[in-house]
Amino acid sequence: MSVLYQAFRRVAADHGDRVAVRSAEGEEISYAQLVHLVERISAELSTLGVAPGDVVATRLANSPGYVGLILALARSGAVHVPISRSAAPDRIDWSIERTGPRLLVDEPDHGPYDRLPTVGLDELVTGRARLDGAAEPAVHTGLFRMLETTGSTGMPKLVSWRQDDLLADRSAWLSYLGITPDDVFLTMHPLDVAHGVDVHMFPALLAGARLVLSDPEAAPGLLVDDLDRSGATVFSALPRHYDQLAGCGPRTLSRLRLPLCGGAYLSQDVVRQSRHRLGIHIRRIYGSTEFGIVLGNLDDVPQEDRGMRPLPEVQVQLGPLTGQPSQPPAGEGDAGRSVGEILARSPHTSRGYHADPTATAQAFRDGWYHTGDVAERTPTGEYRVLGRVADAMPADGGVRFAAPVEAALQACGLVAEAAVLPSLPGVEPVAAVVGARDASADTVRAAAEKVLREHGLAIPLRVLDQLPYTPSARSTSRSYGDVSGSRQPEPASSLVSTVRGCGGGFRAWSGRRGCQVNQCISLGRRDVQYVTADDRATSYHLSGKLAARYKEFVCRGAAWAISHPTLMFPSRRRHLTAPLPVPLAADR
């Protein structure tokens, strides 16, 4: 039996009658029923020829059945490759080609996928295979999951986790949180991502607690209602989610003892508004798909000015900011403070990126994981995350990072939303703001320019009607379409398919009067090719977050311009004459 499933079975044996999982529709199953479900799905997988070490891909919505399937894959010693339900066809093909699954478990409404055998989850759940046909393999500790990263640091990669490392990491997380069987975990995240499965599902089920699967697409007001009705005690979300939830207040979520927040820069204003309008003290956490949780602060106090400390068994140090100005961030560098890239080390973490030894060697060096994030260490020994290395901007007296500047803009009282885009090849740095309700554009501009001056930044400012966000609300994935005026960019939800297609050589027309000089763009996986205004075909080699941001910037701008062809584009258009880059063998 697998070590991960064996740990779950021990818990289930002590809590058989307790509710294990509740769906968004109200369906509940107990721990005993979940064990039976896992055995049934395991038997069906066995009849389909799934053996230890085989890869099984999934494309499923959150449900008790999906929870059972994940545990059944662990029980069988198989390797799980979750694929987002909203993934574009080329992204699905990319995952399938890279991992070589034996089987795809899908939902009927997705339609057939003819590149490998496909089975519906309902067929596994209601199957008729004999339960004794699901023979338990020998103790399995090896590879269990290949999970796609968000792509915020470049093209998405597949992170490989072993069963033994994942169990040890989640057990340490449980101990750190102090979870008991009386806790209720509510997740608004899909089980396709680490935030959903590692921060919520496994901790709940390895502690005998209850897991509530909320609708990932529910409106903020409905999510607040679900948190209240379910009696949730543990909940983790991104800063923008908490900002939206606070806007539904005043409410009092008195039973929510661990409102965790990580995944992006957390501003003082979000912490303050959550306390005043939801009655909660946000607890800061910081981690990654590659490493797990690195830092945290569970103190039940207002944390506006607080940082975080390493989790038990995690070592943290600050490395030099390679490729960035040597001076400290503006306003920092006081006695007892230091600034640098967060490097983390733990005895139990991922094994790096599947089929990408170069990226693995770059991220994991000499036993340390290089996060790409910048933090300052305070005199008290706490770490405050400032932003990504690529977000650094030269400022008077030092360096500024985009996320804290955005927070300062929003805290001025006249700015509802703010976004700062550092300079990219061929694109100047820019700050974009959306004014508060009833505030005039001139008043908003004056207030925002004052904040930028106070931070030592002399960059252009645009006052817009709307800023697009990805469905996950990650600030690292924002872009602004046409930021040369006050026209509204296309809503993020309508541009998702365009952005997802950019990795495979999507060709887009682009041009911003007075700013962007490119006639057309070709987005490859290793570089960006374009034709300039004077008909020169050229290219930039980009990597990391700069590549991801630039490509998304172009795709979103192009998609907006397709629906507004006379407002933004130059009248002369020519196709790119330079050839597209040939994908490396590992990318095919």
Side-chain angles (χ1 to χ4, degrees):
M1 182 180 293
S2 78
V3 294
L4 189 56
Y5 182 66
Q6 192 173 41
F8 165 73
R9 278 295 302 268
R10 287 195 296 267
V11 173
D14 294 333
H15 304 284
D17 294 334
R18 296 176 66 98
V19 173
V21 184
R22 195 203 82 183
S23 71
E25 294 76 27
E27 176 191 359
E28 293 184 347
I29 61 173
S30 68
Y31 274 88
Q33 291 171 323
L34 182 55
V35 168
H36 184 73
L37 176 63
V38 171
E39 291 177 349
R40 183 186 305 157
I41 294 175
S42 297
E44 290 296 322
L45 291 173
S46 179
T47 63
L48 292 170
V50 175
D54 284 344
V55 176
V56 175
T58 62
R59 187 170 55 159
L60 301 167
N62 287 0
S63 70
Y66 191 12
V67 173
L69 174 60
I70 293 173
L71 292 171
L73 293 173
R75 181 187 188 276
S76 304
V79 181
H80 183 206
V81 176
I83 299 173
S84 171
R85 295 174 67 232
S86 59
D90 65 330
R91 178 56 58 202
I92 298 172
D93 292 343
W94 179 86
S95 297
I96 297 300
E97 291 169 2
R98 289 242 168 168
T99 60
R102 171 180 287 273
L103 184 70
L104 171 65
V105 183
D106 208 345
E107 295 173 338
D109 59 347
H110 286 151
Y113 186 78
D114 57 7
R115 301 190 61 174
L116 78 163
T118 302
V119 64
L121 178 60
D122 55 344
E123 299 176 57
L124 300 179
V125 169
T126 61
R128 296 293 183 264
R130 291 172 55 88
L131 294 185
D132 59 8
E136 294 180 358
V139 174
H140 186 80
T141 62
L143 183 63
F144 166 61
R145 186 181 70 198
M146 289 183 280
L147 187 63
E148 187 174 314
T149 65
T150 62
S152 62
T153 58
M155 289 299 295
K157 298 177 282 289
L158 292 165
V159 180
S160 300
W161 275 89
R162 290 171 52 94
Q163 282 207 32
D164 49 3
D165 286 326
L166 185 61
L167 176 60
D169 180 70
R170 293 302 84 198
S171 297
W173 176 239
L174 274 175
S175 177
Y176 176 72
L177 294 178
I179 299 302
T180 73
D182 293 326
D183 277 307
V184 178
F185 283 73
L186 186 144
T187 178
M188 58 170 289
H189 305 282
L191 297 180
D192 301 325
V193 299
H195 216 143
V197 70
D198 290 349
V199 180
H200 294 88
M201 191 198 92
F202 279 126
L205 300 182
L206 291 175
R210 179 181 302 190
L211 174 67
V212 177
L213 304 173
S214 186
D215 183 359
E217 299 179 359
L222 296 177
L223 180 58
V224 173
D225 291 340
D226 210 4
L227 285 166
D228 193 11
R229 285 194 304 264
S230 67
T233 61
V234 185
F235 172 73
S236 182
L238 302 179
R240 181 162 173 79
H241 295 139
Y242 278 108
D243 189 35
Q244 293 171 337
L245 295 178
C248 300
R251 299 284 291 272
T252 302
L253 301 175
S254 58
R255 288 175 289 185
L256 187 55
R257 70 179 187 88
L258 289 176
L260 308 172
C261 186
Y265 177 79
L266 176 60
S267 70
Q268 293 182 353
D269 185 62
V270 171
V271 176
R272 186 180 303 110
Q273 290 299 321
S274 297
R275 184 174 78 253
H276 290 162
R277 300 187 63 81
L278 299 175
I280 58 175
H281 288 156
I282 285 181
R283 312 310 205 273
R284 295 175 181 266
I285 61 172
Y286 165 80
S288 69
T289 304
E290 294 88 339
F291 189 90
I293 306 299
V294 179
L295 304 167
N297 186 339
L298 301 185
D299 292 349
D300 188 11
V301 297
Q303 293 197 13
E304 285 93 328
D305 299 316
R306 294 292 301 275
M308 297 169 284
R309 293 182 179 273
L311 267 64
E313 298 189 3
V314 174
Q315 295 176 275
V316 172
Q317 67 180 21
L318 297 181
L321 299 181
T322 305
Q324 297 296 339
S326 59
Q327 64 264 40
E332 309 296 348
D334 300 333
R337 297 177 184 269
S338 57
V339 175
E341 181 185 4
I342 302 172
L343 311 183
R345 181 164 62 185
S346 168
H348 304 290
T349 186
S350 77
R351 296 306 170 103
Y353 304 111
H354 172 69
D356 198 339
T358 301
T360 299
Q362 183 178 9
F364 295 86
R365 285 176 263 161
D366 300 323
W368 292 91
Y369 171 56
H370 292 242
T371 66
D373 290 313
V374 180
E376 68 160 340
R377 185 171 55 238
T378 69
T380 62
E382 292 184 340
Y383 292 85
R384 293 175 179 164
V385 179
L386 302 176
R388 298 290 300 172
V389 173
D391 282 342
M393 297 175 291
D396 292 344
V399 176
R400 290 290 185 185
F401 292 88
V405 176
E406 292 170 353
L409 286 165
Q410 292 180 210
C412 75
L414 291 171
V415 173
E417 294 182 277
V420 176
L421 186 69
S423 61
L424 299 172
V427 180
E428 61 184 347
V430 63
V433 298
V434 175
R437 182 178 299 179
D438 299 329
S440 69
D442 290 341
T443 303
V444 171
R445 175 177 297 279
E449 288 177 341
K450 179 182 178 184
V451 172
L452 294 176
R453 287 195 302 270
E454 291 172 348
H455 285 74
L457 292 172
I459 62 177
L461 174 69
R462 309 288 184 255
V463 180
L464 306 180
D465 299 320
Q466 176 185 342
L467 291 180
Y469 288 83
T470 64
S472 65
R474 286 185 177 271
S475 61
T476 55
S477 298
R478 283 176 294 180
S479 57
Y480 320 116
D482 175 25
V483 297
S484 62
S486 60
R487 293 187 293 270
Q488 292 189 13
E490 188 77 6
S493 59
S494 66
L495 299 179
V496 171
S497 60
T498 302
V499 176
R500 289 199 179 99
C502 72
F506 173 83
R507 293 191 178 190
W509 295 105
S510 178
R512 292 214 318 271
R513 291 175 180 170
C515 181
Q516 178 61 270
V517 297
N518 300 337
Q519 290 187 57
C520 64
I521 304 290
S522 174
L523 304 180
R525 292 193 178 187
R526 289 293 182 269
D527 62 3
V528 177
Q529 296 187 342
Y530 63 93
V531 174
T532 61
D534 56 354
D535 295 330
R536 289 182 297 106
T538 186
S539 66
Y540 274 106
H541 176 77
L542 298 178
S543 61
K545 188 176 180 180
L546 286 177
R549 276 196 161 185
Y550 186 65
K551 292 176 181 181
E552 186 173 331
F553 180 89
V554 171
C555 283
R556 288 182 185 266
W560 183 93
I562 287 171
S563 59
H564 303 78
T566 63
L567 298 179
M568 180 176 167
F569 282 53
S571 58
R572 180 169 56 94
R573 303 177 180 177
R574 300 190 182 186
H575 286 285
L576 183 67
T577 56
L580 290 173
V582 178
L584 301 180
D587 290 334
R588 291 174 178 164

